[in-house]
């Protein structure tokens, strides 16, 4: 049972434009949603998170939107930069727990 | 935060052999985890490495195949036993810190079984 789904394996965006990465989940009991970024030959690094009681969280160029009724979240990167080219993982977890469920990732290409 | 050193970074192994992956953390942590990322797949939790007791395995993973050691609060090993080509994956060590939502990862071990 894939509880966190990223249906787009890849995305290509022009430098300076907006990148929108999407994620769907099936378990309404998740309390936190996170985005991780992964460069080749490196482990994932935490990027931004959102609590299930919020619908938006912003950190610089990165904004995560949460639509609980649709069980959908998205990561917006504005403006996109070539250094943002990486694989982005959507993840979810429950409050008080340490187990994190990951999606399959979306590879973002930002073209200069 | 936590700095995690994982080794080896990559290896090519013959089927039927075993490989032990090491994970060293720069501080004492309670929760350490091992993940697997098969090609094109999500990160899948293999087990939670418990200090002083047996690891807790997720559904589909067994101790005979993936024995784990956790001798202290800064170190753990994962062994991939009796390898087959299906074990070719990236294996990742991860830690969780009290009070933080996010997890921290080592750089991963890319394993190819031939």
């Amino acid at each position: 049972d894939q509880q966190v789904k990223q249906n787009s394996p890849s995305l290509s965006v022009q430098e300076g434009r907006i990148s929108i990465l999407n994620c769907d989940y099936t378990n309404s009991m998740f309390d936190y949603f996170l985005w991780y970024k992964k460069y080749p030959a490196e482990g994932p690094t935490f990027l931004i998170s959102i609590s299930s009681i919020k619908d938006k969280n912003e950190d610089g160029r990165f904004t995560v939107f949460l639509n609980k009724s649709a069980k959908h979240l998205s990561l917006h990167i504005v403006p996109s930069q070539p250094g943002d080219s990486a694989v982005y993982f959507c993840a979810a977890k429950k409050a008080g727990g340490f187990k994190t469920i990951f999606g399959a990732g979306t590879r973002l290409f930002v073209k200069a | 935060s936590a700095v995690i050193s994982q080794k080896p970074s990559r290896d090519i192994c013959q089927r039927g052999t075993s490989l032990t992956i090491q994970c060293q953390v720069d501080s004492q942590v309670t929760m350490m985890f091992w993940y697997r990322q098969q090609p094109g797949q999500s990160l899948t939790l293999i087990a939670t490495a418990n200090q002083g007791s047996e690891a807790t395995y997720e559904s589909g993973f067994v101790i005979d195949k993936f024995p784990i050691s956790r001798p202290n609060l800064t170190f753990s090993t994962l062994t991939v036993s009796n390898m087959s080509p299906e074990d070719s994956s990236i294996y990742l060590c991860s830690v969780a810190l009290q009070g933080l939502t996010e997890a921290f990862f080592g750089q991963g071990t890319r394993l190819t079984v031939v």
Side-chain angles (χ1 to χ4, degrees), chain B residues 20 22 25 68 86-87 106:
Chain B
T20 295
Q22 299 181 4
V25 190
I68 288 171
E86 292 71 33
D87 294 320

Side-chain angles (χ1 to χ4, degrees), chain B residues 18-19 34 36 44-48 54-69 77-83 87 91:
Chain B
S18 298
L19 175 72
W34 287 97
R36 178 177 76 180
T44 303
L45 181 62
I46 298 171
T48 302
E54 203 168 272
T56 304
Y57 289 84
E58 297 297 308
S59 175
F61 298 96
V62 295
I63 186 171
D64 290 346
K65 177 67 176 177
F66 298 102
I68 288 171
S69 78
T77 67
L78 169 75
T79 298
V80 186
S81 303
N82 189 24
M83 289 183 285
D87 294 320
Y91 292 85

Side-chain angles (χ1 to χ4, degrees), chain A residues 36 43 46 89 93 98-99 102-103, chain B residues 37 42 58 96 101 103 106-107:
Chain A
Y36 289 81
F46 170 72
F89 290 98
K93 62 185 297 188
F98 291 94
K99 184 175 178 178
F102 287 85
Chain B
Q37 185 190 9
S42 62
E58 297 297 308
T101 305
Q107 73 270 37

Side-chain angles (χ1 to χ4, degrees), chain A residues 12-89:
Chain A
S12 184
V13 172
Q14 198 70 36
E15 181 181 9
R17 298 290 185 93
I18 184 171
S19 295
I20 300 176
L21 294 94
N22 294 304
C23 178
D24 298 295
Y25 62 96
T26 58
N27 189 340
S28 58
M29 300 302 289
F30 288 132
D31 297 295
Y32 296 98
F33 301 91
L34 307 93
W35 286 93
Y36 289 81
K37 182 165 82 171
K38 184 182 185 299
Y39 291 118
E42 295 183 12
T45 56
F46 170 72
L47 185 59
I48 191 170
S49 66
I50 188 167
S51 164
S52 62
I53 63 173
K54 296 188 175 183
D55 55 18
K56 177 182 176 182
N57 187 27
E58 187 174 354
D59 184 2
R61 296 186 298 114
F62 304 92
T63 303
V64 56
F65 295 92
L66 176 63
N67 183 333
K68 287 187 68 177
S69 62
K71 294 191 177 68
H72 177 85
L73 63 153
S74 60
L75 174 67
H76 293 212
I77 307 174
V78 181
S80 301
Q81 300 173 353
D84 296 329
S85 296
V87 176
Y88 290 79
F89 290 98

Side-chain angles (χ1 to χ4, degrees), chain B:
Chain B
S1 67
V3 177
I4 303 170
S5 300
Q6 191 175 332
K7 58 181 180 182
S9 57
R10 59 174 58 227
D11 207 341
I12 300 173
C13 300
Q14 295 291 322
R15 67 175 67 202
T17 63
S18 298
L19 175 72
T20 295
I21 303 167
Q22 299 181 4
C23 178
Q24 179 75 51
V25 190
D26 68 341
S27 59
Q28 293 186 340
V29 295
T30 304
M31 308 298 292
M32 290 183 74
F33 308 90
W34 287 97
Y35 284 83
R36 178 177 76 180
Q37 185 190 9
Q38 294 180 301
Q41 304 294 315
S42 62
L43 280 71
T44 303
L45 181 62
I46 298 171
T48 302
N50 302 308
Q51 196 270 328
S53 64
E54 203 168 272
T56 304
Y57 289 84
E58 297 297 308
S59 175
F61 298 96
V62 295
I63 186 171
D64 290 346
K65 177 67 176 177
F66 298 102
I68 288 171
S69 78
R70 180 85 193 272
N72 55 55
L73 292 175
T74 64
F75 187 79
S76 177
T77 67
L78 169 75
T79 298
V80 186
S81 303
N82 189 24
M83 289 183 285
S84 67
E86 292 71 33
D87 294 320
S88 297
S89 295
I90 297 174
Y91 292 85
L92 293 148
C93 172
S94 174
V95 304
L97 302 182
Q98 202 74 32
L100 295 181
T101 305
E102 69 271 26
F104 300 88
F105 288 85
Q107 73 270 37
T109 296
R110 181 178 292 274
L111 170 63
T112 302
V113 184
V114 297

